[in-house]
Structures are given as C-alpha cells and as structure tokens.
Amino acid sequence: MNLFDSHAHYNDEKFDKDREKIIDETLNNNVSNFIVAGYNIESSIKAIEIAKKYKEVYAIIGISPNDLEDINMQEDIKNKILELEKIIYNSNFNNTNSENKIVAIGEIGLDYYWNKENKKIQKEIFINQIKLANKLNLPIVIHTREAVSDTLEILKENEVNKKGIFHCCPLNRELVKQALKLNYYISLSGVITFKNSKNADEIIQIVPEEKLLIETDSPYLAPEPVRGTRNNCMNVKYIAKKIAEVKNKTIEEIAEITNNNAKKIFNIK
Ligand SMILES: [Zn+2]
C-alpha cells in the first residue's frame, strides 16, 4: 500500500530525539510519501532540510495564524514575507524542476479559536502569503479554526491560481461545501475517527473522491485507536480505513485515490 500523508510536522521538537528512526520506519510501513509542514520561519527551514534528505518527502512553508507573536505592524508583515521569500530562493526553488521540494505555501490562514485579538494582522499576512503563492505558482494549504466566513471571503476576493487544500478540515458542512465549490481539496485528519465526531460520516460522504486527501497532522491529533499518543505518519492508515468503511471501498483503493490526488495538487511526478 502507498499511503500519502498530506500534512505532518516531523519538524516538531517532539521528534528531535528519534527523527531519523521514525522517518525510516514510516517509509518502510506502507507510507510512500509525506509532507512536512512549516508554521513559522524556523520550522519552515527545518521542513526543507528534512525534505532534502529524503526523495519521498516534500515541504510546505509558511507563517501560520498562531505564530504571529512578533508581528505588530505593517512593517513586520512586510519583513516576514521577505524572510519567507529568502528561504525559498536560498533553497534553489524551481517550480518547473521535478526535484522541487517546496510544493505549497502553508500552513496559512485564520485561527480565531486561539487568537481573537489580532484578526486584522492574521488576515493581512494570509493575503500576503496568497500573493506569494501566486507569484511562485504554488497552491496553498489552509488552516482555519472558528473563522469560516472570513476565510472563505478572503479566498473569494484573493483568487489562488493553483487553488489548495483545507488542511485538517473542520467537520463543518457549510465550509466543506463552499470549499468544494471553490475547487479546493479537503484533507481529513484523525478527527474523523474520534467517537465524539458525530457528523464525520456525513462529511466523508460529501467529499468526492477526486477532492479527497488524508493527513495525520503529526505529532498532534492521533486517530483512534491510538488517540492520545504522539502521532506519526504511519497512523494515516486509520484515517484511510475509516473513509474506506464509509465510502464502501477498500483501504487500498482509498490509499491509491488520495495518493494520486496529493501528487496532482502538489505537482509531484
Ligand atoms: Zn499542521
């Protein structure tokens, strides 16, 4: 089986002690590829470093709405975007090269659950990163939490040429429907396996096969039956299994569908 984990943080300090071991294990356990997701400058640099070491691994880089502590004014936003651009060009980024390791700008977006005080800054840096994605001809990977209408409004007003992915997509029917209408991919995480996720089955049914992705968001959100542990990409099989049950498919079929979708949106040959 060739599972593709569309979103993990093997750049997180929780993997500092056994990163190489867990990556070797991952790539030997039915996971053919995975994405390392950045969320600030430091973690984005680390994501690229990891991706460069393994041919099966790719990086997405960006500033998440929960990593804006040091951004207070217009000038700070400009400097952050410049810093991000610098990382990209220093990594010999070349979008037309099949060896390219940076496959999207993310995770970026809005989070009013953790941060209510700086909505304006969140929106501005989100929009600026959309512009950067368009400049580089890359898709975006969106983090949105308790900010559905503002997120959708920004996406409607700031079209992303290569579209993108709703990462760890909230199980919100309206959001999923609107996201699909905008031609975005829906990436489902371990949340769909949680016993208290009452509408998981309905959401799984709504997402058509051609827009479906799976992810672990490791080290967070370990799925059932390993909930509460440090998550890793090998657990993406539990997410595929749950989707297979609801969609009446085999886990191998879901693996193949989501693998092909991931390669398409991330432009991986
Ligand atoms: Zn994440």
Side-chain angles (χ1 to χ4, degrees):
M1 201 160 40
N2 290 320
L3 291 157
F4 193 128
D5 184 349
S6 295
H7 193 109
H9 299 286
Y10 275 2
N11 47 352
D12 191 281
E13 60 182 17
K14 289 194 179 71
F15 295 106
D16 280 354
K17 288 208 172 74
D18 60 351
R19 182 169 293 109
E20 285 189 14
K21 186 171 163 271
I22 197 114
I23 292 175
D24 285 340
E25 246 182 277
T26 296
L27 295 173
N28 283 306
N29 273 286
N30 297 319
V31 177
S32 58
N33 305 85
F34 63 88
I35 301 287
V36 183
Y39 41 89
N40 57 23
I41 295 292
E42 203 192 333
S43 64
S44 293
I45 293 173
K46 186 117 197 161
I48 297 170
E49 258 173 42
I50 298 170
K52 282 194 166 166
K53 270 196 201 164
Y54 303 87
K55 68 175 190 317
E56 303 88 346
V57 181
Y58 297 86
I60 65 172
I61 70 164
I63 318 284
S64 101
N66 295 324
D67 290 83
L68 306 177
E69 307 84 9
D70 53 342
I71 299 180
N72 300 305
M73 40 192 219
Q74 209 65 31
E75 197 57 24
D76 298 333
I77 296 178
K78 234 167 84 190
N79 288 334
K80 269 288 176 224
I81 300 293
L82 282 174
E83 249 185 290
L84 199 57
E85 259 188 286
K86 215 159 110 196
I87 300 175
I88 296 166
Y89 293 119
N90 283 346
S91 78
N92 296 324
F93 173 79
N94 179 352
N95 200 5
T96 54
N97 181 343
S98 62
E99 305 283 285
N100 183 41
K101 283 294 183 176
I102 301 172
V103 292
I105 298 297
E107 56 188 278
I108 61 175
L110 304 174
D111 192 322
Y112 300 164
Y113 176 82
W114 290 114
N115 294 292
K116 289 180 195 57
E117 313 306 322
N118 62 353
K119 290 184 180 175
K120 195 166 170 275
I121 287 176
Q122 288 191 42
K123 287 183 193 172
E124 278 194 43
I125 198 143
F126 183 25
I127 293 169
N128 274 285
Q129 291 182 99
I130 288 176
K131 288 183 182 148
L132 179 61
N134 281 340
K135 186 169 156 189
L136 301 168
N137 216 19
L138 288 174
I140 61 170
V141 174
I142 303 161
H143 168 107
T144 181
R145 192 162 180 195
E146 300 204 354
V148 169
S149 62
D150 281 1
T151 303
L152 291 168
E153 194 182 302
I154 286 178
L155 292 178
K156 282 174 192 162
E157 282 172 9
N158 303 271
E159 203 183 326
V160 186
N161 300 334
K162 291 284 169 180
K163 304 299 173 197
I165 298 165
F166 276 81
H167 127 72
C168 190
C169 191
L171 303 181
N172 171 316
R173 191 195 303 129
E174 259 332 284
L175 171 68
V176 171
K177 283 189 174 161
Q178 293 284 332
L180 289 168
K181 222 165 135 184
L182 291 170
N183 220 0
Y184 277 73
Y185 285 78
I186 305 294
S187 187
L188 297 175
S189 69
V191 173
I192 61 163
T193 68
F194 295 171
K195 293 188 173 81
N196 54 350
S197 290
K198 289 196 175 61
N199 59 344
D201 290 18
E202 185 198 349
I203 298 292
I204 293 167
Q205 292 287 17
I206 294 176
V207 182
E209 281 171 20
E210 65 274 15
K211 285 290 177 232
L212 180 67
L213 296 170
I214 50 176
E215 65 168 69
T216 57
D217 206 17
S218 299
Y220 314 107
L221 293 176
E224 291 290 355
V226 291
R227 194 173 177 182
T229 63
R230 182 186 71 168
N231 202 3
N232 67 64
C233 302
M234 289 170 269
N235 293 329
V236 78
K237 63 176 180 275
Y238 298 118
I239 297 150
K241 183 170 165 267
K242 166 77 187 179
I243 295 170
E245 282 163 13
V246 175
K247 284 198 178 290
N248 221 346
K249 298 251 170 211
T250 64
I251 182 169
E252 287 80 9
E253 285 171 318
I254 296 298
E256 199 192 330
I257 289 164
T258 50
N259 191 306
N260 288 336
N261 288 345
K263 284 184 174 150
K264 195 168 169 194
I265 180 71
F266 292 125
N267 195 24
I268 295 169
K269 300 284 156 8

